[in-house]
Amino acid sequence: MKFNFPIIIIDEDYRSDNSSGLGIRVLAKCIEKEDFEVIGVTSYIDLSSFAQQQSRASAFILAIDDEEFIEENPKALASLSKFVEEIRYRNEEIPIFLHGETRTSRHIPNSILKELNGFIHMYEDTPEFVAKFIVREAKNYLDSLAPPFFKALTHYAMDGSYSWHCPGHSGGVAFLKSPVGQMFHQFFGENMLRADVCNAVAELGQLLDHTGPVEASEKNAARIYKADHCYFVTNGTSTSNKMVWNYTVAPDDIVIVDRNCHKSVLHAIIMTGAIPIFLMPTRNHFGIIGPIPKEEFSWDRIKEKIENNPFIKDKSAKPRVLTITQSTYDGILYNVEEIKELLDGKIDVLHFDEAWLPHASFHDFYGDYHAIGADRPRCSESLIFSTQSTHKLLAGLSQASQILVQDALMNKLDKELFNESYLMHSSTSPQYSIIASCDVAAAMMDEPGGTALVEESIMEALDFRRAMRKVDQEWGDDWWFKVWGPDDLSEEGIEERAAWMLNNNDKWHGFGKLAPNFNMLDPIKATIITPGLNVEGEFDSNFGIPAVIVTKYLAEHGIIVEKTGLYSFFIMFTIGITKGRWNTLVAALQQFKDDYNKNQPIWKVLPDFSQKYPKYENIGLKDLSDQIHTVFKDNDIARLTTEMYLSNMIPAMKPATAFAKMAHKRIERVPIDDLEGRITAVLLTPYPPGIPLLVPGERFNKIIVDYLKFARSFNDKFPGFESDNHGLIKNHIDGKLTYYVDCVIDE
């Protein structure tokens, strides 16, 4: 397949009628005759921005005239040197040629010379020969780009072979036989559909057996991520987590689990029949989940919890796995080396759910605050697993995930046994485009490109934070939005890691007593705080702006955020971030402030929402904010939602036993008012934050029931702003909405 990667010529005389301009344009025409597009520009413009064009180019030709070498005018050489430096910071392989008149390498500083692929003289070889030389190097470069699986897939899709295997659309042909199929084909395109194949295509290898180009790609990714093993997973990190657990955990095994875990880990507990011991994280009154205190990881504390668990018969049994959410939704990280030091050998497997942290191994900023990286010491006995969503912060397609493994000094991954668990959770018809995106997402992060991409994300995140602070300063005493994070940021550059540490009793984080250097905040995760609530949980008596109103406003202005809390919402600075995106957000927040201060009617500022919920259309934006704020304040909802997660969860059954009651239909639907003391058969999960509040087998306590009663009342009063609680069943009886939870029948 021919990909569009032009050769870029930078020459100030490119459009001039002098000999230099005529010469470079002749060369450009000769290159075009070799079937390569040429783009000619006359300056480097903004060096760093223009250097980013390396991702779109197959080669650079940098022209420099004799007069630019004179010592009295070092500007041209300085610009050239800086540009080459910027290119090589991002890309070590793209060909760079220098196009000069009579001067030679004797006149070029070595810092430039060592990065060049050639030095072309305009008055020597014919332009036809030079063009062939340049095009050859450009082709070699492009041929080297594609990682193993993606290369094999593109070759197969372009081969033009008739196939008799599934899928039934046969490379998209079936869609062409129907009008709506024609629309589908035109939307997704020929290449995607030709690349949608099944595992009968031998030349693409097997995902399920990890052979051929798939195996080569997984080994390449393991190299890039500095792991011993890598496995691509095509149905998300939810599935990656279950694969790790099924390899590690059997019924009645003891498992140590972050209470702030993804629900897939709780599903794994149910599926394996494990007995969980939960480590409790902190939480502030913004609703932000904080770290698990370091003392919770101490072996004495874990043994104490094992002793107190009524379902563990053998109190001396070694726990099989520790699963920690490494990067919470809001960006809290743990020092992995300290966890390894505390628990190596005491727990068989240390599993870090790094769904939100696949970028960390590519920048020194993150240090020891991720699971597996270059020059990181191995555990003596415990295997290290990292499960990562390459689709969340890198460039994978949705559902693209991977499992990274680091062997211990005394224990190695049994690849054959692990693959049995892998097969248990894998489709026999994986989506090959997702596999290719895993392959490409890894290749994109290979040195030095990955470091440059992550650094750009960090820089954009910091520039956004600085822009928000600048706006705040300009408003003075008037209200504005805050960005949660440390208070003392510098004006420029990337902060030292120390600036992002969660220090003991720092007021900004609100998590209280914390161990030194145990936790840090990932700066690319930005939680924006709306007015009306402070970190101590105290409501402003005068006014407040619940975040749900801000995010509905933003959505109607084309900005969709990741998560909405009571008085906060969350955005991420992935490697796909742009200045345009975050500057548009800042502008939209300014517009919101203006409309709020003018108390514009809802029909005007939220037209789509008001059409769906006409009861709000004539209410002012400020008035509606005041109404919801008053309800939150009167019910002290910040404390309620904090305390319900920190309240004592009493296990009455193993999670698997309680869940099995559903299969046997030994459950009943219990109204909210009758829930206290009952045993839940399902996960009860409020969104946000999407963290299960109760696990099957645990009893409802009063504070959790109080929260559900509040949610019921709030949903009734403010339709369109409802809180979402998975596990809470809605049913209309006699025209009234009633809420239930499936509970175990008392026996």
Side-chain angles (χ1 to χ4, degrees), residues 539-741:
F539 288 89
D540 192 305
S541 57
N542 297 316
F543 88 114
I545 306 175
V548 66
I549 293 179
V550 182
T551 55
K552 284 192 181 298
Y553 180 98
L554 293 174
E556 294 215 19
H557 289 74
I559 298 170
I560 310 299
V561 305
E562 179 70 26
K563 178 191 74 162
T564 304
L566 291 174
Y567 289 82
S568 68
F569 62 92
F570 176 72
I571 60 174
M572 290 188 299
F573 286 76
T574 72
I575 64 171
I577 196 66
T578 63
K579 287 181 172 62
R581 187 187 302 182
W582 67 257
N583 277 289
T584 299
L585 172 60
V586 175
L589 292 174
Q590 291 271 24
Q591 292 166 12
F592 176 90
K593 177 177 172 64
D594 187 55
D595 286 336
Y596 174 91
N597 289 342
K598 293 176 179 175
N599 202 22
Q600 296 281 18
I602 295 299
W603 67 262
K604 186 173 183 178
V605 294
L606 297 173
D608 292 344
F609 179 75
S610 70
Q611 282 189 359
K612 191 174 181 180
Y613 299 97
K615 66 172 286 186
Y616 300 112
E617 62 182 357
N618 291 316
I619 301 176
L621 186 61
K622 182 179 183 305
D623 294 336
L624 182 58
S625 298
D626 288 344
Q627 287 180 26
I628 296 178
H629 176 69
T630 298
V631 170
F632 284 166
K633 177 162 60 70
D634 290 348
N635 288 273
D636 203 11
I637 193 62
R639 295 190 188 279
L640 180 62
T641 53
T642 299
E643 290 169 4
M644 72 180 185
Y645 274 103
L646 301 178
S647 62
N648 189 26
M649 316 295 184
I650 302 172
M653 291 180 177
K654 285 172 52 184
T657 304
F659 195 83
K661 298 289 185 180
M662 288 204 296
H664 296 158
K665 306 297 186 290
R666 299 297 299 160
I667 60 167
E668 59 183 342
R669 290 200 167 144
V670 180
I672 286 177
D673 294 312
D674 301 327
L675 280 174
E676 191 172 348
R678 297 299 300 267
I679 302 169
T680 180
V682 297
L683 290 172
L684 183 66
T685 311
Y687 285 82
I691 303 302
L693 183 55
L694 280 180
V695 177
E698 293 179 334
R699 292 189 185 274
F700 280 91
N701 58 32
K702 183 178 182 302
I703 192 167
I704 292 173
V705 174
D706 286 345
Y707 164 74
L708 294 178
K709 289 177 179 178
F710 168 80
R712 177 179 62 188
S713 170
F714 183 86
N715 292 354
D716 183 60
K717 191 170 183 177
F718 296 103
F721 296 98
E722 299 96 335
S723 57
D724 185 15
N725 294 277
H726 288 193
L728 197 60
I729 299 166
K730 302 174 184 178
N731 205 353
H732 284 88
I733 299 177
D734 299 327
K736 185 179 178 181
L737 187 61
T738 307
Y739 295 84
Y740 302 86
V741 177

Side-chain angles (χ1 to χ4, degrees), residues 176-241:
L176 302 176
K177 299 181 178 182
S178 157
V180 67
Q182 284 274 0
M183 295 173 71
F184 186 90
H185 193 286
Q186 290 175 31
F187 182 80
F188 283 104
E190 176 86 5
N191 287 339
M192 193 281 281
L193 296 170
R194 289 290 175 190
D196 185 25
V197 298
C198 85
N199 57 11
V201 183
E203 60 259 47
L204 297 178
Q206 270 279 4
L207 179 68
L208 303 182
D209 297 332
H210 313 284
T211 57
V214 172
E215 179 186 27
S217 287
E218 289 180 329
K219 286 183 175 178
N220 186 50
R223 173 189 63 81
I224 292 168
Y225 284 89
K226 311 298 190 293
D228 295 318
H229 316 275
C230 175
Y231 296 88
F232 293 155
V233 179
T234 60
N235 37 353
T237 300
S238 294
T239 295
S240 294
N241 289 338

Side-chain angles (χ1 to χ4, degrees), residues 277-279 296 301-309:
I277 298 295
F278 290 109
L279 306 184
E296 280 278 285
R301 179 77 176 115
I302 290 172
K303 285 198 299 183
E304 181 187 331
K305 292 189 177 191
I306 292 172
E307 286 292 332
N308 293 334
N309 189 290

